[in-house]
Amino acid sequence: MPVNSFEEYPMSWRPNISNISAPLYIAIAEQLEQDIKDGKLLPGTKLPPQRELADFLDVNLSTITRAFKLCGQKGLIYASIGSGTFVSSDAATNKILLPTSHSPHMIEMGSVLPDNYVNEDITRYMKKMMSDSNFNNLFQYGRLEGNVWQNEAALKLLEKVNFQTDQPILLGAGGQNAIVGTLAALFQAGDRIGTDPITYAGIKTAANMLGIQLVAIQQRDGEMTREGLLYACKNEHIKGLYVIPDFHNPTTHTMSLETRRMIAEVSRDTGLIIIEDAIYSFLKEQPLAPIASYAPEKVIYIASLSKTISPGLRLSYIVTPSALRKRIMETLYNINISISPMMLELATRLIHDGVAETILEKHKLYAKQQNALVNQYLSNYNILGGEACIFRWLILPDKFTGVQFELLAAKAGVQVYAAERFAVGNVKPINAVRLAITAPENQLEQALIILKDLLESNGDYTFVD
């Protein structure tokens, strides 16, 4: 029996283990997960201390520790050193942000998908490539390191974002693949990595899969602070940092030069490994120098073609410190064996012949036209994002939470994503939603009209069946 009486003692969670068949720690973990999914434990709820829960259940402390660890690896709960364990802010949300609705009437403003019309340029160029006598050689295995000509193409593209390097380029099958490969190569289950309090959902799914915990770094005016970063290094024991300096997803913020230099300095002083995700950097009209240019020995720089040329190419360029290169390359090999030689050759030719730059400019022009439409309909609201950014961050009126507005919009036929999907740990996000703006123009206008009507309603929006 427990040493103390808990009959009148307030506890946020009281699991019942009277009838269980699974190993005890698994049964407790499963019950915790189910209570979170059923809404019995709301996001942000502080769980009882492990010793207290062990006393209540009359079990060993190690049993509770193992149960909490299982749920922590799934991203359901979040342990903050010195503060306790909380139900994660995003525990009840879907973290995979790809289109899920099969309804032809749902307008997609959730997933960030580049526009399709430039694919005609790529198709035309690929048909030309197919006429080459050695085209059939491209069906063989490829290398994780390109040849000299392919490496030169990558360097030529990186120059457009003010990044010059003498390191050979590693190749990944898209940005997410590069992120997962880097995490798997350099970190272990139980390690902690710092991020923005609101961050890209893909780093969250990758970290959950690998048992890595994300730690929100203190911010001021939308940017990480030196104090917050040093605190996380010393007290939260973070080993790495993940950042999106340009058109941060989802907030659209572009990191200042001062903060980029500060992060580089802290990484050199503390040994912190930086993962710099430059997926949107090519959309910037006047890109700032990346963090990697200030601390090349500490930064893994990832540039993907998915949002700026075409996601179908499944290609990313990875610049690594020489000391980490072998580990990352071996991990990518085990994940991919190789990338597609055909897609690599196609991308290389597009870059060398100037077609990639033409496609990129078309993407920027299209984004500007779409954003002009967004500004026309939502000018009375606080909506963040530059004219070349392919998504916007809509700060909602106080009468809506992000989740409420996402549900209302979906019921009205528009898919958007709530801030809760992007929240890290027990961070309570502001009331906001991310809007992807690359839907066809007629659909975008229709969606904006619906969203504006929702914003102006008092929760009494009339839905048309």
Side-chain angles (χ1 to χ4, degrees):
M1 293 294 292
V3 175
N4 301 310
S5 172
F6 286 86
E7 292 182 5
E8 304 297 329
Y9 189 81
M11 293 182 69
S12 59
W13 185 53
R14 293 171 176 251
N16 184 352
I17 60 171
S18 57
N19 296 303
I20 59 170
S21 56
L24 193 54
Y25 78 96
I26 294 178
I28 294 171
E30 288 177 346
Q31 191 171 153
L32 178 55
E33 180 175 2
Q34 194 60 50
D35 285 350
I36 290 172
K37 289 181 178 179
D38 291 345
K40 296 178 182 178
L41 286 171
L42 299 177
T45 300
K46 185 175 182 178
L47 295 172
Q50 292 184 29
R51 288 186 182 280
E52 187 176 288
L53 196 56
D55 193 13
F56 169 71
L57 295 174
D58 197 18
V59 300
N60 290 330
L61 174 62
S62 61
T63 301
I64 304 300
T65 300
R66 294 176 73 184
F68 275 30
K69 184 177 181 180
L70 283 178
C71 289
Q73 289 175 346
K74 293 182 179 181
L76 295 169
I77 61 176
Y78 175 86
S80 179
I81 296 174
S83 299
T85 303
F86 301 81
V87 177
S88 298
S89 295
D90 64 344
T93 65
N94 183 358
K95 301 177 184 68
I96 299 177
L97 305 190
L98 286 174
T100 55
S101 173
H102 300 290
S103 170
H105 305 296
M106 181 69 76
I107 301 175
E108 185 59 56
M109 292 187 72
S111 298
V112 180
L113 307 173
D115 51 275
N116 285 324
Y117 76 98
V118 296
N119 290 341
E120 295 177 1
D121 296 342
I122 299 174
T123 302
R124 187 164 51 249
Y125 206 85
M126 190 167 190
K127 288 179 179 178
K128 177 183 175 182
M129 191 173 78
M130 290 172 65
S131 64
D132 288 359
S133 58
N134 63 346
F135 180 75
N136 61 328
N137 293 334
L138 298 177
F139 291 91
Q140 291 292 338
Y141 285 111
R143 300 166 52 193
L144 291 173
E145 299 174 283
N147 58 36
V148 173
W149 189 57
Q150 293 162 345
N151 204 71
E152 287 175 350
L155 295 175
K156 182 178 180 180
L157 196 64
L158 294 181
E159 287 178 359
K160 296 186 180 302
V161 289
N162 290 324
F163 186 31
Q164 295 181 337
T165 178
D166 56 3
Q167 292 291 332
I169 306 295
L170 287 182
L171 302 167
Q176 184 70 10
N177 175 255
I179 291 169
V180 172
T182 299
L183 292 178
L186 304 182
F187 304 96
Q188 300 177 352
D191 284 348
R192 293 172 162 236
I193 293 177
T195 68
D196 291 288
I198 303 291
T199 195
Y200 166 53
I203 187 68
K204 295 171 61 179
T205 59
N208 285 348
M209 180 181 71
L210 297 171
I212 295 169
Q213 184 173 330
L214 300 183
V215 175
I217 305 299
Q218 178 191 50
Q219 288 193 335
R220 185 183 303 117
D221 299 327
E223 300 206 347
M224 293 180 182
T225 65
R226 182 185 296 271
E227 300 78 20
L229 197 50
L230 290 174
Y231 177 89
C233 290
K234 181 179 179 180
N235 298 287
E236 297 283 1
H237 310 299
I238 62 171
K239 295 183 177 180
L241 183 72
Y242 171 83
V243 291
I244 309 175
D246 296 315
F247 289 148
H248 173 267
N249 183 5
T251 67
T252 76
H253 181 76
T254 292
M255 185 185 292
S256 68
L257 199 59
E258 292 74 18
T259 300
R260 296 173 195 234
R261 289 172 174 160
M262 178 274 289
I263 290 174
E265 290 173 7
V266 171
S267 70
R268 286 196 298 268
D269 293 341
T270 62
L272 203 62
I273 297 172
I274 311 299
I275 302 173
E276 183 171 11
D277 188 350
I279 189 167
Y280 298 107
S281 297
F282 294 113
L283 295 174
K284 298 289 294 184
E285 294 290 355
Q286 296 179 316
L288 299 173
I291 300 169
S293 63
Y294 299 109
E297 74 282 9
K298 292 297 180 184
V299 180
I300 294 91
Y301 181 90
I302 300 171
S304 168
L305 304 186
S306 296
K307 307 300 186 186
T308 50
I309 305 298
S310 172
L313 292 173
R314 303 313 310 137
L315 184 63
S316 58
Y317 298 122
I318 311 164
V319 182
T320 73
S322 55
L324 304 177
R325 177 182 176 78
K326 183 180 178 182
R327 290 164 62 186
I328 294 175
M329 185 164 66
E330 288 176 347
T331 304
L332 288 172
Y333 170 80
N334 285 313
I335 295 174
N336 302 329
I337 299 295
S338 78
I339 57 126
S340 167
M342 186 187 303
M343 293 297 102
L344 174 59
E345 181 68 14
L346 175 58
T348 299
R349 294 190 186 195
L350 289 171
I351 294 168
H352 275 303
D353 291 354
V355 180
E357 186 171 358
T358 299
I359 291 173
L360 182 55
E361 292 305 314
K362 287 184 177 181
H363 278 310
K364 289 180 182 178
L365 179 60
Y366 186 76
K368 290 176 182 177
Q369 293 170 347
Q370 298 289 88
N371 275 312
L373 203 59
V374 174
N375 294 338
Q376 175 186 334
Y377 281 94
L378 301 181
S379 59
N380 292 333
Y381 297 92
N382 186 6
I383 183 162
L384 308 179
E387 63 177 6
C389 190
I390 57 178
F391 55 92
R392 303 290 291 272
W393 187 236
L394 175 63
I395 311 299
L396 296 168
D398 291 339
K399 58 188 174 183
F400 298 110
T401 67
V403 170
Q404 288 171 340
F405 193 82
E406 178 180 326
L407 292 172
L408 285 170
K411 191 174 181 181
V414 182
Q415 179 68 71
V416 301
Y417 287 147
E420 284 80 355
R421 290 177 179 261
F422 306 94
V424 173
N426 63 333
V427 170
K428 188 180 185 308
I430 62 171
N431 298 331
V433 290
R434 189 189 71 184
L435 311 178
I437 56 94
T438 52
E441 184 176 351
N442 61 328
Q443 288 189 19
L444 179 63
E445 186 166 18
Q446 180 185 351
L448 291 170
I449 291 171
I450 292 172
L451 296 180
K452 184 180 180 183
D453 288 346
L454 278 174
L455 289 165
E456 292 175 352
S457 72
N458 291 314
D460 56 354
Y461 184 83
T462 301
F463 296 98
V464 179
D465 294 328

